[in-house]
């Protein structure tokens, strides 16, 4: 796909729990093993995730995830807590806890991301960011990569509209 014509897809199924856990659900057309590789392999993560990983995330232990915004990277410690291939990946990253659940379906994988956010007002922004990232990951898995969309650049690809739509869906301003 031509990067200039890339537009975000439909909103994902989302909810926010009383514990400030954003639950973000997407159906992907790819089998769990392929999705698992996109979630754990540093080379694939570099093509879609909001961070670069210093190692394969498919095993437990310490890691460094570096957010990227333009030419700047900001490393932060992370710890992979669970890596049950190809069904569950859980890691702590700064103050956040992310849990990726992969369930096979007849046509691919249902991916559920549970991302604990610091406060409810962050949920729409977080959902918008993951929405863009996972749209890019889906294209990568299709073999039609558009390249990562991270940091301030996300504003050029509909991030603000996504944030507002998720705020409405989640009942937040």
């Amino acid at each position: 796909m031509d990067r200039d014509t890339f537009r975000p897809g439909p909103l994902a199924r989302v909810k926010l729990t009383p514990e400030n856990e954003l639950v973000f659900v997407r159906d992907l057309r790819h089998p769990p093993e392929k999705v698992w590789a996109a979630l754990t392999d540093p080379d694939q993560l570099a093509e879609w995730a909001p961070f670069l990983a210093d190692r394969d995330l498919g095993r437990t232990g310490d890691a460094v995830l570096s957010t990227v915004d333009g030419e700047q990277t900001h490393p932060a410690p992370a710890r992979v807590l669970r890596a049950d291939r190809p069904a569950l990946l859980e890691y702590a990253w700064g103050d956040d806890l992310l849990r990726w659940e992969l369930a096979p379906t007849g046509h691919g994988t249902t991916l559920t991301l549970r991302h604990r956010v610091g406060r409810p007002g962050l949920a729409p922004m977080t959902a918008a960011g993951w929405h863009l990232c996972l749209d890019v990951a889906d294209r990568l898995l299709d073999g039609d990569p558009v390249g990562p969309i991270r940091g301030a650049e996300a504003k050029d690809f509909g991030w603000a509209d996504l944030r507002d739509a998720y705020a409405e869906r989640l009942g937040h301003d």
Side-chain angles (χ1 to χ4, degrees), residues 90-152:
E90 183 176 69
Y91 50 89
W93 179 28
D95 293 332
D96 294 353
L97 180 66
L98 291 89
R99 180 182 173 99
W100 302 86
E101 301 167 358
L102 289 72
T105 64
H107 53 78
T109 302
T110 296
L111 175 66
T112 302
L113 168 60
R114 299 174 184 278
H115 184 160
R116 189 183 64 211
V117 295
R119 61 183 196 281
L122 295 175
M125 293 181 278
T126 303
W130 283 121
H131 182 112
L132 283 172
C133 287
L134 290 171
D135 276 0
V136 170
D138 198 31
R139 298 280 183 198
L140 177 68
L141 292 170
D142 283 344
D144 191 19
V146 297
I149 297 173
R150 303 182 178 112

Side-chain angles (χ1 to χ4, degrees), residues 7-8 23-24 28-29 37 39-40 50 62 70-71 92 95 98-100 103 109 120 129-130 134:
R7 296 294 173 264
V23 181
F24 189 94
L28 301 172
R29 298 175 302 276
L39 293 173
T40 59
D62 292 336
E71 297 298 315
D95 293 332
L98 291 89
R99 180 182 173 99
W100 302 86
T109 302
W130 283 121
L134 290 171

Side-chain angles (χ1 to χ4, degrees), residues 3-133:
R3 185 175 177 85
D4 294 333
T5 61
F6 172 82
R7 296 294 173 264
L11 295 183
R13 299 184 305 273
V14 293
K15 71 177 180 179
L16 186 64
T17 70
E19 299 78 29
N20 291 335
E21 183 179 69
L22 174 67
V23 181
F24 189 94
V25 182
R26 290 280 299 261
D27 292 314
L28 301 172
R29 298 175 302 276
H30 311 284
E33 277 291 339
K34 193 170 182 180
V35 176
W36 177 265
L39 293 173
T40 59
D41 176 64
D43 292 333
Q44 289 191 53
L45 286 164
E47 293 299 315
W48 71 267
F51 55 76
L52 303 174
D54 73 331
R55 67 168 183 86
D56 189 300
L57 301 180
R59 60 181 166 77
T60 59
D62 292 336
V64 175
L65 304 181
S66 299
T67 55
V68 179
D69 191 359
E71 297 298 315
Q72 295 185 356
T73 59
H74 305 280
R79 181 157 186 77
V80 178
L81 306 169
R82 291 190 59 188
D84 301 331
R85 182 184 192 132
L88 175 66
L89 177 65
E90 183 176 69
Y91 50 89
W93 179 28
D95 293 332
D96 294 353
L97 180 66
L98 291 89
R99 180 182 173 99
W100 302 86
E101 301 167 358
L102 289 72
T105 64
H107 53 78
T109 302
T110 296
L111 175 66
T112 302
L113 168 60
R114 299 174 184 278
H115 184 160
R116 189 183 64 211
V117 295
R119 61 183 196 281
L122 295 175
M125 293 181 278
T126 303
W130 283 121
H131 182 112
L132 283 172
C133 287

